[in-house]
Amino acid sequence: MPTGVEGLRAYCGEDGVAVLLIDRPAKRNALTLAMWRGLPGVLERLAAEPGVRVLLLSGAGSTFSAGADIAELLEMYADPAHADAYHRDNAAAEEALAAFPHPTVAVIRGAGVGGGCQLAVACDLRFAAEDARLGITPAKLGVVYPAGATARLARLVGPARAKYLLFSADLVTGRRAEVLGLVDEAVPGDALEARALEYARTVAGRSPQTLGAVKDVVAAVAEGRDPQAAVEPWERKSRHAPDVREGLAAFLERRPPRF
């Protein structure tokens, strides 16, 4: 699928799995301002694709993303107004990924650092190579990390572990990140893509109605909103949509459901 954004490539498979690839391998997939600005539109187009059930976010070559393009960031910080605008675009990209209507999985090998780790945290799940290196490094640069990104990290790993990562700005391995709760599965590097795709295909075969409700209710709980209000539209829809009837029929007929 054409993205119209240099450094971002997208693919939609017949298995219901879409892939969004951060594609600047010569720059360790560092994220430019144009990429931050373009990401919400690319995600909107992917969400509108009728066959998409799951999104994998990955990086080209041997790296997920080394974060923001530092040379460009230096230029942005030369002017306070430019820095403000940059952070707004950064936050908008993160929020667009977090709000994607289907399950999202970051697939992390090599470096997942700074803005790259920020995008991974905005996904629903994270699969990483055991030897991947993850960290959020604004304290090394004097950058004030955005409130939304900080809060999302704290909800994911807990307040103390969020401070542990942000205070030091140190990198941790994929295996250590799994212990901290930053990563959901850490696997050997040569098995990473196959494992992530296997999981994505499993999820793509589940009920989109159920998955959508889960995303909305869990988000409501994490953000301190009323979970009942979040689930009610899905409950009303489920009384008339075919998912439950198909799921029950498939169970009784001992066949995979066709949602």
Side-chain angles (χ1 to χ4, degrees):
M1 189 190 82
T3 66
V5 181
E6 186 175 357
L8 294 176
R9 284 195 285 157
Y11 306 87
C12 299
E14 295 181 359
D15 55 2
V17 179
V19 177
L20 178 56
L21 194 69
I22 305 169
D23 186 29
R24 291 186 76 210
K27 296 291 186 179
R28 300 180 69 217
N29 296 327
L31 295 149
T32 65
L33 176 59
M35 293 163 71
W36 290 118
R37 284 178 173 170
L39 192 56
V42 174
L43 290 167
E44 185 177 4
R45 290 194 292 277
L46 280 167
E49 287 290 319
V52 171
R53 298 287 187 89
V54 181
L55 176 65
L56 297 179
L57 176 65
S58 188
S62 60
T63 298
F64 180 72
S65 173
D69 186 303
I70 299 299
E72 188 178 67
L73 198 60
L74 181 62
E75 182 182 337
M76 293 297 107
Y77 267 86
D79 180 279
H82 288 168
D84 287 345
Y86 181 93
H87 277 274
R88 284 194 295 270
D89 290 328
N90 173 278
E94 178 193 354
E95 292 300 327
L97 181 57
F100 193 76
H102 307 296
T104 54
V105 182
V107 184
I108 307 161
R109 67 165 60 254
V113 179
C117 194
Q118 179 183 354
L119 288 180
V121 170
C123 289
D124 294 309
L125 298 169
R126 286 143 296 280
F127 285 33
E130 290 175 336
D131 61 354
R133 303 285 286 175
L134 296 95
I136 305 173
T137 55
K140 288 182 178 179
L141 305 172
V143 171
V144 174
Y145 202 49
T150 304
R152 182 169 284 112
L153 177 67
R155 291 195 298 266
L156 178 64
V157 301
R161 286 177 170 176
K163 292 174 185 176
Y164 175 87
L165 292 165
L166 290 168
F167 283 176
S168 70
D170 286 341
L171 305 187
V172 297
T173 65
R175 186 176 297 175
R176 175 64 176 156
E178 184 179 30
V179 173
L180 292 171
L182 185 60
V183 160
D184 299 286
E185 285 194 25
V187 300
D190 59 1
L192 177 62
E193 279 77 14
R195 172 59 188 139
L197 186 58
E198 175 191 41
Y199 181 84
R201 285 173 171 163
T202 296
V203 174
R206 304 308 190 210
S207 164
Q209 176 175 272
T210 304
L211 301 181
V214 167
K215 281 200 64 154
D216 284 357
V217 172
V218 171
V221 171
E223 296 164 10
R225 295 183 283 111
D226 180 11
Q228 185 59 40
V231 82
E232 280 178 358
W234 292 103
E235 287 184 330
R236 288 195 297 271
K237 181 180 178 181
S238 73
R239 305 301 184 255
H240 305 284
D243 285 36
V244 175
R245 293 189 296 275
E246 168 59 17
L248 295 174
F251 180 84
L252 292 173
E253 296 167 14
R254 300 178 183 274
R255 61 171 175 81
R258 295 183 291 271
F259 293 117

